[in-house]
Amino acid sequence: MQRLFLITLLGLLPLLTFASGPVKTDQVTAELVSESAGIQPGTPFWVGVRLDMEDHWHTYWTNPGDAGLGTSLTWDLPEGFSAGPIIWPTPEYIPLEPLVSYGYEGTTLLMVRLDPPADLPVGQSVDLRVRADWLACQEFCIPGGADLSLSRPVVGETPGPDPAQAELFARTRADLPLVGVGWPVSLSGAGDRLQLDVRLPDGSVVDPETVFFFNRVEMVIEPAASQEVTFEAGVLSIKLTPAVYADGPVDAISGVLVARSGFGDSVPGNAVVLE
């Protein structure tokens, strides 16, 4: 019922005029930005919606945790363009007792790959537009949204980076969980809980107290339940609690495995996507 109420509120938000540049609300400032200074016909490029949250406010990951709503992007692109999915940065564990949220505080960038058509005429400017809808929460939640736009010239050569956004995109890429690592994963029952076993690469070193698994799908794993973690003989074991409202037995999970202190020198990052 709470989720339905939040979705209803979002649906009642007034439509805004597409704005070039930042759009500020009381809790969040949003802006559509591009990694490159121009668009080359037929060459994919990266854009993103930057969200700057006021202190102590947060927005949500694709799985918001106990309550909330992940940010959504609805694109209005010129003919022939296509947009990929949001590339979500590693989420943060945000406790709001007795609940736990998965989301972002401070500044985050939701990156998306855009593919322009190969026959795009060089010399013109292209307007990119997106509707961003989010839920910002502190002790209470306020739905927000903005219609954002960005203009970029079409160029015949490989465009250079936008110097104003280079650091933001580099920082965001460094915070993305690693994909395609291929670590062997198994899931089994452990009494009334589940045990996720992950075999790490040889030489890995992990502090179990820094480990947390963010399940990607809602209402599968209880976000606020403790996760018991051990690391022995190269296997990281995590005991998880099935969600009260899980739709039947949980026989498969996917998400982001985080070790804040890292997995050792053999792994260039502290977050890994498990499929």
Side-chain angles (χ1 to χ4, degrees), residues 17-259:
T17 301
F18 281 101
S20 177
V23 173
K24 182 175 175 55
T25 69
D26 288 341
Q27 302 80 30
V28 177
T29 300
E31 184 179 10
L32 178 60
V33 296
S34 174
E35 187 173 27
S36 61
I39 301 172
Q40 185 178 25
T43 302
F45 63 104
W46 289 90
V47 298
V49 172
R50 173 177 178 152
L51 299 176
D52 293 308
M53 278 70 77
E54 295 295 320
D55 290 346
H56 311 300
W57 289 85
H58 63 270
T59 55
Y60 290 94
W61 188 48
T62 180
N63 174 2
D66 278 314
L69 196 65
T71 299
S72 66
L73 303 179
T74 305
W75 292 93
D76 179 10
L77 298 173
E79 183 177 357
F81 278 73
S82 62
I86 295 172
I87 306 300
W88 297 93
T90 301
E92 302 171 35
Y93 180 96
I94 304 172
L96 295 169
E97 296 184 359
L99 306 178
V100 166
S101 295
Y102 299 162
Y104 308 102
E105 297 179 319
T107 295
T108 193
L109 177 69
L110 303 181
M111 291 173 49
V112 172
R113 193 181 94 166
L114 298 186
D115 288 79
D119 59 354
L120 196 64
V122 173
Q124 69 175 9
S125 290
V126 170
D127 291 330
L128 309 172
R129 298 175 178 176
V130 65
R131 169 72 187 184
D133 287 298
W134 59 81
L135 188 68
C137 296
Q138 190 188 43
E139 295 180 357
F140 55 92
C141 295
I142 299 176
D147 290 306
L148 308 170
S149 70
L150 177 69
S151 181
R152 279 291 181 265
V154 180
V155 297
E157 67 286 343
T158 301
D162 183 339
Q165 308 300 337
E167 181 181 354
L168 174 62
F169 276 88
R171 188 169 67 246
T172 300
R173 291 184 188 282
D175 191 38
L176 296 178
L178 302 175
V179 298
V181 295
W183 294 355
V185 175
S186 64
L187 185 68
S188 59
D192 60 350
R193 307 188 78 187
L194 299 169
Q195 181 163 314
L196 174 64
D197 291 324
V198 184
R199 179 165 291 282
L200 272 56
D202 292 343
S204 296
V205 179
V206 179
D207 179 358
E209 293 187 0
T210 71
V211 171
F212 191 84
F213 176 71
F214 293 88
N215 196 65
R216 186 177 301 278
V217 180
E218 296 181 61
M219 294 184 288
V220 173
I221 301 299
E222 285 291 340
S226 63
Q227 297 187 4
E228 298 177 24
V229 183
T230 59
F231 181 58
E232 296 180 4
V235 175
L236 190 65
S237 299
I238 309 172
K239 288 186 178 179
L240 305 168
T241 302
V244 173
Y245 299 106
D247 185 15
V250 179
D251 54 11
I253 56 178
S254 64
V256 176
L257 177 65
V258 175

